[in-house]
Amino acid sequence: MLKTFSITNIGKKRKTNQDFVYTSEQQVGMLPNLFLVADGMGGHNAGDCASKMTVETIIEKISVSAETEPGRILEEAILAANARVREEAARSPELEGMGTTIVAAICDGSQLFVANVGDSRLYVENSREIIQVTRDHSWVEEMVQRGGIPRAEARNNEHKNIITRAVGAEETVQIDYFKVALQEGDIVLMCTDGLTNMLEDEEIRMILESSRDIVEKAEKLVWAANERGGSDNISVILIEPVREAED
């Protein structure tokens, strides 16, 4: 059983919302549920076209996939989305250069399956800590890993928005996969960088811990990011696994 809530907000500085979110607590194809967050990039309508197209293609491919392993199902769907975004960009000059991040999650009992491309993130939070499960595919993260930039300075670096992987950017796309064992009391947070560029991880954890329910948690995160400047679109999905009551 799951409790989930999603929200997307244009922020204070953007004229359009290029984020796209999807949640299904019900079965999608062979998967027990499906959660997707995409953050599009590109001029004019290209960014929102890329994120919407990617999410829709992933859902379509998962719905008809004959695969049974979650990682393989996600891989097949994301590769198909990459091909479609590139085809549409090649067909329409106004969409040239479009792309998007994607983070996908499936909650199967106490197991969480995750796939990501780009710098949209998935965290697992509980009363003790908040853990970033995904790794950003960004120039700044690569510099941090090499020791060129201290972790504390990464969020405010002038190059923080340069991503090194995106759906639609190259002929093929490299996808990262993670499998997480969820514990009682864990909350899963999926979000775009409109949240994480505005708030430190510990600030996010404090908001999640100080809010009474899943709706308030998500709404307070968006409010806090906008209060801090709201420089980008802000999207949040929260997932709370709920244990079945024993007889």
Side-chain angles (χ1 to χ4, degrees):
M1 231 184 123
L2 301 173
K3 282 185 184 177
T4 69
F5 185 75
S6 64
I7 185 170
T8 186
N9 184 278
I10 196 170
K12 290 190 170 181
K13 303 291 177 67
R14 303 292 190 185
K15 293 182 179 179
T16 60
N17 191 344
Q18 297 190 330
D19 291 355
F20 202 87
V21 301
Y22 172 84
T23 68
S24 176
E25 297 177 20
Q26 308 304 315
Q27 188 168 337
V28 180
M30 301 295 288
L31 300 178
N33 44 62
L34 182 62
F35 305 92
L36 302 168
V37 172
D39 181 357
M41 61 185 189
H44 304 292
N45 295 324
D48 51 349
C49 180
S51 59
K52 184 173 186 286
M53 185 181 299
T54 293
V55 169
E56 289 177 346
T57 304
I58 288 171
I59 297 164
E60 289 168 12
K61 292 298 179 181
I62 288 174
S63 297
V64 298
S65 176
E67 298 285 345
T68 57
E69 199 278 313
R72 180 62 188 143
I73 294 171
L74 289 174
E75 178 183 36
E76 189 180 66
I78 294 170
L79 290 175
N82 188 73
R84 185 178 173 200
V85 169
R86 290 183 62 78
E87 287 166 9
E88 291 298 325
R91 190 176 293 125
S92 305
E94 69 274 15
L95 300 179
E96 184 179 356
M98 72 174 175
T100 184
T101 70
I102 189 71
V103 57
I106 303 148
C107 192
D108 189 2
S110 62
Q111 296 294 322
L112 184 72
F113 298 89
V114 184
N116 88 291
V117 178
D119 63 353
S120 294
R121 295 179 179 177
L122 183 143
Y123 292 89
V124 174
E125 187 273 341
N126 55 46
S127 59
R128 301 177 305 280
E129 59 186 347
I130 183 168
I131 298 168
Q132 182 181 338
V133 173
T134 53
R135 179 185 159 196
D136 296 350
H137 302 138
S138 66
W139 182 87
V140 165
E141 180 61 25
E142 288 186 5
M143 291 302 293
V144 169
Q145 293 295 323
R146 293 175 189 168
I149 299 174
R151 173 68 67 188
E153 296 177 12
R155 196 167 65 88
N156 297 315
N157 188 278
E158 62 180 336
H159 301 301
K160 66 185 177 185
N161 293 323
I162 300 174
I163 60 174
T164 54
R165 292 188 213 169
V167 174
E170 303 287 346
E171 189 170 337
T172 190
V173 61
Q174 187 178 347
I175 309 159
D176 284 355
Y177 301 97
F178 308 88
K179 187 176 178 181
V180 181
L182 296 174
Q183 307 298 321
E184 189 169 6
D186 283 350
I187 298 171
V188 177
L189 164 64
M190 302 167 68
C191 61
T192 55
D193 64 352
L195 180 73
T196 53
N197 282 342
M198 298 291 101
L199 301 174
E200 299 280 2
D201 288 3
E202 184 59 20
E203 292 176 303
I204 292 171
R205 190 187 74 82
M206 292 298 291
I207 290 170
L208 292 174
E209 284 301 308
S210 64
S211 306
R212 67 176 179 265
D213 60 41
I214 198 168
V215 176
E216 185 177 273
K217 292 176 199 292
E219 290 177 343
K220 279 190 174 180
L221 287 172
V222 171
W223 179 87
N226 274 323
E227 281 294 295
R228 196 62 61 83
S231 64
D232 202 351
N233 310 142
I234 309 152
S235 294
V236 169
I237 295 176
L238 290 176
I239 307 166
E240 290 185 355
V242 179
R243 291 182 181 273
E244 299 279 3
E246 294 184 3
D247 293 334

